[in-house]
Amino acid sequence: MNAVTTSAYRQQSLNFSCEGQTLQAVLTLPSAPATSPGDLGVLVVVGGPQYRAGSHRQFTLLARELARQGFPVLRFDHRGMGDSSGPLHDFKQITPDIGTAIEAFQSAHPGLRRVVIWGLCDAASAALMYWQRSRDPRIAGLCLLNPWVRSEASLAKATVKHYYLDRLKQPEFWKKLLSGRVAGAALRDLIGNLRRARGAGAGTRAAASMNFQQEMALAWTELKSPLLLILSGRDLTAKEFLEHAQADAAWQGLLQAPHVTRTDFPEADHTFSNAQARDQVAQATAAWLCVKVNSSAAQVSARS
């Protein structure tokens, strides 16, 4: 087990087993005595084609910042990703990975009693599905960034609204169109997207394509623990999510639910790739952990 210690955090590698495969993880712990309750930790779930460091080392830097503020953090590669063994599993298949990661987290940090799952994109979707399937009482909250709800129709609708309509407002587009510099393929693409978007409203999507979105909505509805929703302003995935939440009956009112805290970063891209956006996410996460998650736990303790 490799370890790194600084004045602000301690970091060590560890591995654990999930259904016969070996998963690799990094545990980051506060070096100083915790100023926040020591029983609360953050599990970073990896989504998309990335591993436990995250795009632009976002997960590594997030873990170190949260540890500086007193929160232990575990980030790991699920089966088939990064340095973990086994065939690749997509976000709908990693419920066992998340469960065994929480077990490993508790084994490595015995004082841990409550866990917040932090996930970006389809990892946010996986976090909701984990809670829906397990109803794990250790889950003290979910931090979800740009959740993934994509279907063919939702992508078409968001593309038409947030790409093509913006293009139609640009004089340069019309100059190209009139001069013949806009290819016929681009116009056919627009027409195809319009048809797919109209299909979404007519209810032509297959039920199977909606299964995971419905599962996410059910988890969001029934979860009573705090939920932090972080959305990027310059991200089609975030716009798709908002479109879906506004249009689908199962999502009506969920973004305004009392347990939900929403934070928007208008200038951020999908992975919060610049230093300012990355630091804003870390600070928003830490503030929510301190104010919402810990106060929620205190209220529950007072009622019991």
Side-chain angles (χ1 to χ4, degrees):
M1 182 179 292
N2 299 322
V4 175
T5 301
T6 73
S7 60
Y9 61 86
R10 294 176 288 132
Q11 185 170 282
Q12 63 188 50
S13 61
L14 57 90
N15 60 68
F16 53 92
S17 178
C18 177
E19 298 187 348
Q21 303 298 332
T22 300
L23 275 56
Q24 301 295 330
V26 175
L27 176 65
T28 308
L29 300 170
S31 283
T35 56
S36 57
D39 68 336
L40 176 63
V42 177
L43 179 72
V44 176
V45 177
V46 171
Q50 51 186 328
Y51 76 118
R52 62 189 179 272
S55 299
H56 324 286
R57 299 177 67 239
Q58 181 187 18
F59 304 159
T60 298
L61 298 172
L62 172 72
R64 292 173 180 175
E65 178 57 31
L66 294 181
R68 289 187 189 98
Q69 301 200 36
F71 298 101
V73 181
L74 182 73
R75 47 194 172 88
F76 72 103
D77 297 338
H78 62 71
R79 285 171 292 170
M81 180 58 67
D83 294 315
S84 293
S85 67
L88 180 63
H89 289 65
D90 76 10
F91 70 100
K92 297 186 290 292
Q93 302 171 313
I94 62 171
T95 292
D97 308 62
I98 295 173
T100 54
I102 293 173
E103 296 290 343
F105 200 174
Q106 288 189 302
S107 295
H109 187 62
L112 189 72
R113 296 292 180 270
R114 301 177 296 142
V115 175
V116 163
I117 302 179
W118 191 103
L120 167 66
C121 192
D122 59 17
S125 310
L128 282 164
M129 288 188 284
Y130 173 77
W131 187 86
Q132 171 59 25
R133 296 168 182 177
S134 70
R135 302 303 173 105
D136 191 333
R138 297 169 296 187
I139 301 305
L142 301 177
C143 181
L144 312 177
L145 296 82
N146 300 329
W148 177 266
V149 292
R150 179 161 296 175
S151 66
E152 182 181 83
S154 72
L155 176 59
K157 187 174 182 179
T159 301
V160 168
K161 182 174 181 179
H162 299 287
Y163 176 73
Y164 287 110
L165 292 185
D166 285 343
R167 287 279 286 148
L168 291 173
K169 298 174 186 177
Q170 298 171 4
E172 185 63 25
F173 171 83
W174 292 102
K175 291 178 182 177
K176 289 182 178 180
L177 180 64
L178 294 173
S179 66
R181 286 185 289 151
V182 173
L187 293 177
R188 289 194 295 272
D189 189 46
L190 169 58
I191 293 169
N193 276 300
L194 285 169
R195 287 173 177 166
R196 285 186 286 273
R198 289 179 62 190
T204 59
R205 287 170 292 183
S209 70
M210 288 298 295
N211 285 346
F212 83 89
Q213 295 97 331
Q214 291 173 341
E215 197 170 359
M216 290 168 62
L218 185 58
W220 196 299
T221 300
E222 298 184 353
L223 178 73
K224 302 308 177 187
S225 300
L227 188 154
L228 175 61
L229 173 64
I230 296 178
L231 297 174
S232 299
R234 297 183 174 182
D235 177 41
L236 188 59
T237 298
K239 290 178 169 61
E240 275 187 83
F241 174 76
L242 289 175
E243 292 285 341
H244 186 81
Q246 293 164 5
D248 192 285
W251 285 86
Q252 295 304 299
L254 293 189
L255 302 194
Q256 293 77 41
H259 68 295
V260 176
T261 300
R262 175 175 165 180
T263 301
D264 287 38
F265 295 111
E267 300 304 315
D269 60 19
H270 182 65
T271 59
F272 305 89
S273 59
N274 65 60
Q276 180 182 15
R278 182 191 66 223
D279 292 346
Q280 287 174 332
V281 166
Q283 293 304 318
T285 301
W288 173 76
L289 289 169
C290 292
V291 175
K292 295 292 184 178
V293 179
N294 283 333
S295 64
S296 175
Q299 291 170 8
V300 171
S301 178
R303 288 196 297 268
S304 61

